[in-house]
Structure formats: C-alpha cells, structure tokens
Amino acid sequence: MHANIVLLPGDGIGPEVLAEGARVLTAVAEKFGHQFSMASFPIGGCAIDEFGTALPDQTLAAARDSQAILLGAVGGPKWDDPSAKTRPEAGLLKIRKELGLFANLRPISVLPELVQFSPLKPEIVNGVDILFFRELTGGLYFGESGTRPAKDGSGEESFSTMIYSTGEVERIVRLAAQAARKRRNKVTSVDKANVLEVSRLWRKTFERVMKSEFPDVTYENVLVDAAAMHLISKPKSFDVVVTENMFGDILTDEGSMLPGSMGLLPSASLGSSGPGLYEPIHGSAPDIAGQGIANPLATILAVAMLLRHSLQLETEAALVEAAVQKVLQAGHRTKDLAGNGPWVKTQAMGDLVIAALA
Ligand code: IPM
Ligand code: MN
C-alpha cells in the first residue's frame, strides 16, 4: 500500500525518538512491500522560535493531507515564561482540535519482564492490561474561559468551564464499548457525578448508550477520586476506562507509573475520519535531550498503533509489538530501565527492534 505519513519531531528528545520510529516504519515498508512517504514539519517550541507560532499553517495543512501523523514531544523550559504570548503545548491542543481527534487511546500494560520496575508490589501489577479512552477535544481544556475583575475586590478572577454535549459523550463511549468487545468486555466510566452537573449528563448518556447499544458489555461508574485510588490498589479490576479530558490526563499519568516507566507507553488520538495522531505519552525530557539515551520504545509502539488504526495493517502492527517484546525479553535495556545493569543507546535500541522484525 501507499501511505503519506507526517512526522512532527517537536522538542527535546522528540527528534531522537522519532528518528527511530521512522526507521521502524521504513523497515516495515521494505519487509512488506509498502510505500510510506514521510516528511517532517515543525510543531511546538521549535516552531515558535522559527515561525512565531506553535502550529504553523504548513504543518496543519500537511497533517490534514496525510493518512497518519507521528509526533515526538513538545515543550521545554526555554518556552516556560508565563508571560509568553504562546506556548508549545498550544500547538498540540490546536492540532487535536483542528483534526477532530476526540478519542485518545492510552493502553497501559505491564510486561512480566518489567514488573520489577514498578513502584508497586508485583502481585498488584502483574497482568495489568488497561485501555484508557480519554476524551480529547472537549471539557475543561476547551470550555469557555476568561479573566475579569474579581467579585471580592481582590484583583482579578479567572474561570475555566467543563462543557460536554450528549453527542460528544456518545461518540467516545461507543468507541470505548466497541474496543471492550475485543478485550475483556467491560467498560468503566469515570466521572464526578456526585458534584458536577456535567458529570451527571456524562453518566446518564454513558448508561443509555451501554444499555441500548451494548447490552452484551458489562459496565460500571466510578467516581474520579475513587478511580485514582483503585488504579493503585486494584489496577487489574480495569479493562476499558472512558473519561473526560482532564480526568483522563491525570489518571493516565498516574496509570503510566504502574509499569514504572513512561518510556514504554504509546498513545493514539483518533477522530471519526481523517488521519490519526500517534505519540509516546512521555514528554520532551529536556534534561536528557541530545545525548542519545532516550528510550525509543514508546514511539516504536506508537508506530504499531499507527499501522493498526490508521493503515489497517494488523499483521505489521503485531509484528512491531512482538519485536519490542522480543528485544526486552532478550534483556536489552535503555538507560531508564537498566537500573545498575548494562544499557544501549537510543539508536542501538532502534537497531535491535529492526533486527527483531526479520
Ligand atoms: C498530554 C499532555 C498534554 C495534555 C499537554 C502537553 C497539553 O500532558 O498529552 O497528556 O495535557 O493533554
Ligand atoms: Mn498529560
């Protein structure tokens, strides 16, 4: 097949891990006779430096025209000035919104050979396999917000609002429930319906869709504070989790600590049509950038998600995942996973995965 893939390396370790993801794509194309055309465009802090905006028009246009987008990471201390007109993160939020990428899939599983890296007891994390569906284009991130003179006379007051429509809840719930059917057939919806009106609409809609369209799928509601606790005390109780944007942001960072390293977790952001966006869930890690020691495996696993969800290449996707597992089972580690043991650099890890594809 022929596919047009846009690469958005971004900032910090983004370019280093993305280079390995691109090499894996090339290796897959060679092995299976596909043609992937890949071109890089700026996003984030480097785009602010060069073009004065975190998402230049040509980047957005190329992304719209593609079948899939692979992103490294954005941000860094250089652009952290709170008085700055624009921030690297704005580029990410804008591309999500512009491309209608409302569903953010974040799988969290713990490989047996890495259980030792978890801060939790092995018997709690062994066998954890959760798929988060985080709503990505609504809620607090995109609701009405503003700043005005404070009512108490103390200066200013600011507000951000959480808004969800029935349709926004229905579409993410449907994707979550469909995914559950292919897994362990259970969906947990996380909300704060004991306090927030918006959560009560969320819960009502979730229950209606599950009862009427997915009578074969088990479901439950869990309040977000309890969910934060259960993620640590009994993570194996979760299969598919569906939740609003900010709850999902927080819970998936918490969940990423179950395997003990963010360096292994990919994510996919999907809309109802058009290209999907794939990225590691870790950030730009400016403290280790440029040293060739970042872990490229989360990006390589994001490549597997890209092959599966945007290009419908399931065999290729499964092969990439198996290659990563093989390399880890053989004992190869990047610095973040090595403890006091030996480790390989970013590019060498890419080489090992590519060799394991054969
Ligand atoms: C994430 C990140 C982003 C978010 C930031 C960088 C805007 O934390 O993808 O989880 O909050 O969505
Ligand atoms: Mn986050």
Side-chain angles (χ1 to χ4, degrees), residues 255-328:
S256 76
M257 282 296 107
L258 296 172
S261 167
M262 283 184 121
L264 287 172
L265 300 177
S267 93
S269 303
L270 309 175
S272 46
S273 62
L277 184 147
Y278 302 83
E279 56 183 313
I281 88 159
H282 62 68
S284 60
D287 51 320
I288 60 160
Q291 300 173 37
I293 59 172
N295 183 348
L297 293 180
T299 305
I300 292 172
L301 291 168
V303 163
M305 293 188 91
L306 181 158
L307 293 165
R308 172 174 297 124
H309 294 287
S310 283
L311 307 184
Q312 278 71 50
L313 297 174
E314 176 58 38
T315 308
E316 289 81 339
L319 186 71
V320 171
E321 286 165 348
V324 168
Q325 198 153 353
K326 232 194 270 177
V327 167
L328 288 171

Side-chain angles (χ1 to χ4, degrees), residues 1-328:
M1 80 174 299
H2 180 268
N4 185 1
I5 300 169
V6 157
L7 306 178
L8 306 178
D11 308 314
I13 59 169
E16 296 162 54
V17 293
L18 208 79
E20 300 316 307
R23 289 207 300 137
V24 168
L25 277 169
T26 303
V28 166
E30 273 168 22
K31 186 172 165 67
F32 290 87
H34 302 308
Q35 276 175 291
F36 297 154
S37 15
M38 293 182 256
S40 295
F41 292 86
I43 191 170
C46 59
I48 294 177
D49 288 349
E50 206 181 333
F51 301 97
T53 164
L55 184 67
D57 290 342
Q58 70 268 32
T59 300
L60 181 59
R64 266 191 217 291
D65 260 0
S66 71
Q67 270 80 61
I69 304 150
L70 186 65
L71 179 121
V74 298
K78 180 173 175 199
W79 305 281
D80 261 349
D81 177 2
S83 65
K85 275 205 297 297
T86 181
R87 299 179 53 98
E89 291 80 0
L92 196 52
L93 297 178
K94 186 165 178 208
I95 198 169
R96 289 173 178 168
K97 192 71 175 175
E98 290 283 334
L99 299 180
L101 306 173
F102 66 87
N104 185 214
L105 283 62
R106 296 188 166 185
I108 294 176
S109 57
V110 183
L111 296 174
E113 44 285 335
L114 297 178
V115 163
Q116 46 169 316
F117 292 102
S118 177
L120 301 184
K121 294 194 186 91
E123 62 270 27
I124 292 200
V125 291
N126 215 338
V128 163
D129 182 10
I130 308 174
L131 178 56
F132 272 93
F133 278 78
R134 167 189 174 195
E135 201 291 328
L136 203 58
T137 53
L140 276 174
Y141 278 57
F142 294 97
E144 199 191 325
S145 65
T147 296
R148 59 197 175 198
K151 289 195 192 66
D152 65 3
S154 64
E156 298 174 311
E157 62 181 23
S158 292
F159 60 96
S160 300
T161 53
M162 192 192 288
I163 304 177
Y164 274 105
S165 70
T166 305
E168 284 176 310
V169 181
E170 284 171 349
R171 62 185 184 178
I172 186 97
V173 167
R174 287 192 182 112
L175 289 187
Q178 281 156 9
R181 276 185 174 150
K182 298 190 193 151
R183 294 169 48 93
R184 300 191 306 282
N185 223 36
K186 177 178 171 191
V187 183
T188 302
S189 172
V190 173
D191 65 31
K192 189 69 184 174
N194 55 345
V195 176
L196 302 176
E197 182 153 353
V198 60
S199 283
R200 290 193 277 272
L201 179 80
W202 178 286
R203 187 177 286 210
K204 186 170 84 177
T205 309
F206 169 67
E207 291 185 339
R208 173 173 50 74
V209 171
M210 294 307 297
K211 277 194 201 116
S212 61
E213 299 174 34
F214 300 92
D216 53 313
V217 180
T218 311
Y219 68 86
E220 64 177 1
N221 293 287
V222 179
L223 295 171
V224 63
D225 46 355
M229 186 171 72
H230 295 168
L231 211 46
I232 302 298
S233 62
K234 47 172 190 176
K236 272 182 262 191
S237 70
F238 296 109
D239 177 13
V240 171
V241 179
V242 63
T243 191
E244 72 87 33
N245 203 344
M246 180 168 271
F247 296 162
D249 180 45
I250 298 168
L251 290 178
T252 54
D253 261 32
E254 186 191 356
S256 76
M257 282 296 107
L258 296 172
S261 167
M262 283 184 121
L264 287 172
L265 300 177
S267 93
S269 303
L270 309 175
S272 46
S273 62
L277 184 147
Y278 302 83
E279 56 183 313
I281 88 159
H282 62 68
S284 60
D287 51 320
I288 60 160
Q291 300 173 37
I293 59 172
N295 183 348
L297 293 180
T299 305
I300 292 172
L301 291 168
V303 163
M305 293 188 91
L306 181 158
L307 293 165
R308 172 174 297 124
H309 294 287
S310 283
L311 307 184
Q312 278 71 50
L313 297 174
E314 176 58 38
T315 308
E316 289 81 339
L319 186 71
V320 171
E321 286 165 348
V324 168
Q325 198 153 353
K326 232 194 270 177
V327 167
L328 288 171

